[in-house]
Amino acid sequence: MTTADHQWGLSNPGPDRLIVWLEPWCDEFEVPVRSTITLKTSGGFEEGNPGDIEWTPDNLVIWGNGRTLEVFIDGVLQVSSSAAIPIPDGLTKQMLSIVFSGYPAARLGGEPFDPVKSSSW
């Protein structure tokens, strides 16, 4: 690895599977019980931090801060958009929050759009 390359991992001790969403790519990964998910960046992580991390009742959301991220589950490289599509310059979590108004309907398993809860530009 170069000085710009880092990796970060998380183990799932159970008792249930762990669903990980990797933003802004809208990638979704299922981490089985007693398995580990590892993110490797080719430029970005600062001090080993993959980005903002949020817990929801059903999943973990990681807002990547690397240009691209390879995802491994138990050492096996996963097919992902994050490995092939660099984050565009200037794209931020705040920008995506405005675009999706807190409802990522485009994401598999996302919540339906509710115009009452939607914020305006």
Side-chain angles (χ1 to χ4, degrees):
M1 284 192 289
T2 69
T3 56
D5 294 338
H6 296 281
Q7 71 179 32
W8 179 87
L10 175 73
S11 295
N12 177 14
D16 299 315
R17 68 189 174 122
L18 173 65
I19 301 297
V20 175
W21 286 346
L22 188 54
E23 298 291 0
W25 298 276
C26 300
D27 283 338
E28 181 176 305
F29 303 95
E30 182 177 322
V31 183
V33 174
R34 292 182 298 281
S35 291
T36 299
I37 185 169
T38 303
L39 306 177
K40 289 185 179 180
T41 184
S42 59
F45 288 174
E46 296 176 15
E47 298 177 15
N49 179 4
D52 289 345
I53 300 172
E54 300 174 1
W55 285 100
T56 72
D58 301 317
N59 57 38
L60 176 72
V61 180
I62 300 174
W63 293 83
N65 69 2
R67 293 291 293 158
T68 59
L69 295 173
E70 289 182 319
V71 178
F72 297 81
I73 296 179
D74 294 333
V76 177
L77 179 62
Q78 305 296 298
V79 175
S80 67
S81 299
S82 61
I85 303 170
I87 296 176
D89 289 336
L91 183 64
T92 65
K93 175 182 172 183
Q94 291 76 21
M95 181 186 301
L96 287 179
S97 295
I98 291 170
V99 170
F100 289 107
S101 299
Y103 297 96
R107 182 190 304 119
L108 180 64
E111 295 182 35
F113 176 74
D114 181 348
V116 174
K117 293 181 181 177
S118 175
S119 58
S120 65
W121 288 81

